[in-house]
Amino acid sequence: MTSHRILIAPSILAADFGHLANDLQRVIAAGADWLHLDIMDGQFVDNISFGPAIVKLARGLTTLPLDVHLMIERADHYVPRFLEPGANSITVHVEPEAKHDVAATLRLIRAGGCRAGLTLNPATPFAAVEPHLPNVDLLLVMTVHPGFGGQSFRPEMMEKVRRGRELRDSLGAHYDLEVDGGINVQTARLSIENGANILVAGTSIFKAADYADAIRDLRGG
Ligand code: DX5
Ligand code: ZN
């Protein structure tokens, strides 16, 4: 069995955009392992966030891995725009509503020298990602319906995390297992117990009084 280190990826969607650079510097100094950047187009999800310019801003502040989560239609068209400013992983959605050839987009991401991630919404059955697992570097299990921060974690998604871990072992694959949505100290522990090793957290870090304490607590002390 492969051992994967527990990594904390603050979702900058919950940062104060009036002082974004300052908030990013603080969370980096507080011990973030990756930065998670949520890209929303108002089509695939019912919200609009930010684009490549913010990835570029983050790249200018840190050498930490930048984990880009594309909640957009036509990811194949936009992937180069996120490779260019320096994304280290790009995760795309498997649902047909994302309107792209998933296998081709994953190849495009890897060809750009980036880690290829695949994700699925809570309502999407795990079987949808299975054919792609040999070709991913990261499997993201959404623990809320994507679009907004601050929602409640769905514990029933842990079955997908367990399945992702089992299949990784049986395939001899090495992908990371990431969870995103409603991650706090309790749900982080549950996710780790079920096999997740990358924890995305927005609200529980950026709304905390002390980012370093919040990150340490999520990691399990
Ligand atoms: C949800 C996003 C998440 C979100 C997590 O659409 O993909 O990354 O920012 O936020 P919290 O941690 O507040 O649930
Ligand atoms: Zn996300």
Side-chain angles (χ1 to χ4, degrees), residues 11 36 38 69 71 140 142 180 200:
S11 165
H36 183 83
D38 286 305
H69 175 192
M71 286 160 274
L140 168 59
M142 288 306 301
D180 182 5
V200 175

Side-chain angles (χ1 to χ4, degrees), residues 12-204:
I12 75 166
L13 195 63
D16 175 357
F17 275 66
H19 305 92
L20 184 57
N22 183 55
D23 258 17
L24 297 193
Q25 273 156 342
R26 284 176 56 212
V27 86
I28 293 160
D33 296 296
W34 290 10
L35 294 183
H36 183 83
L37 296 100
D38 286 305
I39 314 299
M40 304 177 181
D41 67 352
Q43 301 294 323
F44 180 72
V45 289
D46 188 27
N47 197 7
I48 301 175
S49 59
F50 51 79
I54 300 295
V55 180
K56 190 173 175 190
L57 173 104
R59 181 78 298 157
L61 296 172
T62 184
T63 55
L64 287 182
L66 301 180
D67 183 36
V68 171
H69 175 192
L70 296 181
M71 286 160 274
I72 64 174
E73 292 182 356
R74 295 293 318 277
D76 51 340
H77 177 72
Y78 289 101
V79 157
R81 316 266 186 103
F82 291 94
L83 290 171
E84 200 275 327
N88 298 89
S89 47
I90 298 181
T91 296
V92 297
H93 274 264
V94 76
E95 290 78 19
E97 293 76 17
K99 297 184 182 166
H100 65 131
D101 175 337
V102 172
T105 307
L106 292 171
R107 283 195 297 273
L108 182 66
I109 296 168
R110 277 185 168 174
C114 197
R115 305 179 77 235
L118 186 62
T119 186
L120 74 173
N121 288 342
T124 303
F126 190 85
V129 299
E130 283 191 24
H132 302 288
L133 291 180
N135 303 312
V136 303
D137 302 301
L138 185 159
L139 175 64
L140 168 59
V141 174
M142 288 306 301
T143 43
V144 299
H145 184 76
F148 297 90
Q151 302 181 72
S152 296
F153 179 87
R154 300 183 183 218
E156 64 276 21
M157 295 303 121
M158 293 300 96
E159 195 183 323
K160 292 180 182 173
V161 175
R162 287 196 299 277
R163 185 86 185 114
R165 179 171 59 179
E166 282 163 16
L167 279 176
R168 182 175 68 195
D169 293 343
S170 63
L171 291 167
H174 300 284
Y175 52 80
D176 284 298
L177 266 166
E178 184 175 46
V179 286
D180 182 5
I183 300 296
N184 56 33
V185 172
Q186 289 75 33
T187 60
R189 187 176 309 124
L190 186 63
S191 300
I192 293 167
E193 281 167 9
N194 282 282
N197 71 294
I198 301 179
L199 311 177
V200 175
T203 308
S204 69

